[in-house]
Amino acid sequence: MSTDPAPAPSAPGDRPAPRRAPAGAAVLRQDVTEAIRAAVFEELAAVGFARMSIEGIARRAGVGKTAVYRRWKSKLALVLDLITAVAAEGMPVPDTGSLHGDVRAVLEVAAHALRHPLASQVVPDLLVEAARHPEIADTVRAVLLDGRRGVAARIVRAAVERGELPADADPDRVLDLVLGPLYWRLVVVRTSAPAGYLDDLARSAVAALTA
């Protein structure tokens, strides 16, 4: 927002002077913003949040530090903005027509995301930092829990309407049974999923939910 004083009223018959952009105004190029965001992911994966620096991010993005500071005041603000952007993308809500199909679709999307080398390194590091920074904890919770809880609630609602689940089915239990084992294997234990693992996990989760 400009802080320049308002121009004095023009005399009758005077033509208005052409408007000029405020001094110091900067147009933030989207391609530069996206390059910085990509660099943050890479820097987090390479050195972790504690050792990450604005200098390292700028160097990796091929920009000056000023370009970073024009957009974010600190590395914490940058990471929080990045997590928020990821949360806004959300997880698509499947609509396969069956509880098993919906669970299997969620597993496919989650497994694809968790197999990504950056995600497998960044998520554990952010969980550690969340214990030290309440701001990170709140935002990580929005990414890892709140959005997934909304997806689970819609899956449960559809399954209840089809008569596959009782009316009091708990969406949080769906998350525990569906995503808990997958997260444990891919992120905590860091072992690959064998062929057919997602199919077996989907069948097991649905059996437990409908028991």
Side-chain angles (χ1 to χ4, degrees):
M1 178 179 238
S2 173
T3 56
D4 293 343
S10 57
D14 286 351
R15 297 182 63 183
R19 296 180 60 86
R20 294 185 302 171
V27 177
L28 302 182
R29 289 170 45 189
Q30 187 62 27
D31 60 330
V32 173
T33 300
E34 293 306 318
I36 294 171
R37 284 176 169 157
V40 174
F41 270 121
E42 295 171 1
E43 194 75 358
L44 275 172
V47 303
F49 179 82
R51 294 174 56 196
M52 186 177 75
S53 66
I54 296 297
E55 291 82 358
I57 293 167
R59 183 169 55 252
R60 194 178 289 271
V63 300
K65 289 191 298 181
T66 303
V68 180
Y69 282 118
R70 281 199 192 107
R71 293 161 173 81
W72 300 278
K73 64 182 180 180
S74 66
K75 72 174 186 179
L76 177 58
L78 204 168
V79 169
L80 292 178
D81 177 69
L82 191 64
I83 299 172
T84 302
V86 172
E89 294 177 4
M91 175 183 283
V93 180
D95 185 16
T96 66
S98 73
L99 176 60
H100 178 273
D102 288 350
V103 167
R104 180 62 176 78
V106 166
L107 285 170
E108 187 69 38
V109 172
H112 178 75
L114 293 175
R115 284 191 189 108
H116 193 287
L118 290 184
S120 65
Q121 293 170 287
V122 169
V123 171
D125 186 62
L126 288 179
L127 290 176
V128 171
E129 293 301 328
R132 304 188 185 103
H133 299 276
E135 305 97 324
I136 291 182
D138 291 342
T139 311
V140 168
R141 188 177 298 112
V143 174
L144 297 182
L145 179 59
D146 294 348
R148 275 57 176 173
R149 182 177 282 160
V151 172
R154 293 175 67 174
I155 289 175
V156 167
R157 185 162 57 248
V160 169
E161 292 172 355
R162 290 190 298 260
E164 296 176 288
L165 289 177
D168 61 350
D170 183 6
D172 283 346
R173 186 163 180 259
V174 173
L175 291 179
D176 292 342
L177 292 172
V178 174
L179 296 183
L182 184 66
Y183 184 85
W184 174 263
R185 174 180 281 271
L186 298 184
V187 179
V188 179
V189 181
R190 293 178 178 269
T191 58
S192 60
Y197 174 74
L198 296 185
D199 293 324
D200 291 342
L201 184 55
R203 283 191 292 269
S204 299
V206 170
L209 291 168
T210 57

